[in-house]
Structures are given as C-alpha cells and as structure tokens.
Amino acid sequence: MLTLEVCVGSACHVKGSYNIISKLQELISENGLEDRLEVKAAFCFGRCAHAVSVQFEGEDEVFSVAPTSASVTQFFDSEIRKRLNG
C-alpha cells in the first residue's frame, strides 16, 4: 500500500493541510483506491516556508502542494498515479 503523509504542523495547518487531506480522500474514493493508497497526517517535515508539505512514506522528496482543488488534483494525477501504476 502506498502511504502519503500530509504535514499538519502549524504552518501547514494554517495554509490548508486539512483541505488537502479532504480532497485526497475524495479522489481516493472516486477512483476506488481505498485498498491501494492511505493518507496520513504527519508533523513537520521542516519545510515550513514551503507549506503545505507532503511526502510519500519511505521517500526523501518533499512536495509543496497548494490547498486548492486544482493543485491537489494535479498532484494526484502526476505523482500518485505514477507511483500506483509504475
């Protein structure tokens, strides 16, 4: 199972991390991926100036995702689908 961690530390929380989590959960449900992708809240990746930070568990790269529907959908399509299909 692929696990995506979304920072919910102070800076990311203020910038909309819970909106990102909600949109990701919506996309997971719409695409029937509940058994392949898990979204977890995490605390501080140390990139507060680049909030909202997200990271795939076990990977080093930290992504900055804007808390808009379009940005989350773009991240889902480009990064999550790549990992699930690759």
Side-chain angles (χ1 to χ4, degrees):
M1 177 175 287
L2 183 64
T3 301
L4 180 65
E5 299 174 324
V6 179
C7 180
V8 294
S10 299
C12 290
H13 171 75
V14 168
K15 290 190 176 185
S17 59
Y18 287 99
N19 294 338
I20 291 174
I21 291 170
S22 293
K23 181 61 179 178
L24 286 169
Q25 289 172 331
E26 179 184 312
L27 290 166
I28 290 167
S29 179
E30 286 175 4
N31 289 278
L33 298 172
E34 295 89 349
D35 62 336
R36 298 188 61 207
L37 177 63
E38 177 181 32
V39 177
K40 289 184 177 179
F43 286 101
C44 202
F45 298 135
R47 297 181 41 104
C48 301
H50 303 285
V52 172
S53 298
V54 299
Q55 182 176 31
F56 291 96
E57 190 174 72
E59 294 186 21
D60 293 329
E61 187 173 7
V62 177
F63 299 88
S64 180
V65 179
T68 65
S69 181
S71 179
V72 176
T73 300
Q74 180 182 10
F75 177 78
F76 184 87
D77 290 340
S78 65
E79 296 299 330
I80 294 173
R81 286 189 190 278
K82 174 173 68 175
R83 284 165 176 79
L84 290 175
N85 296 329

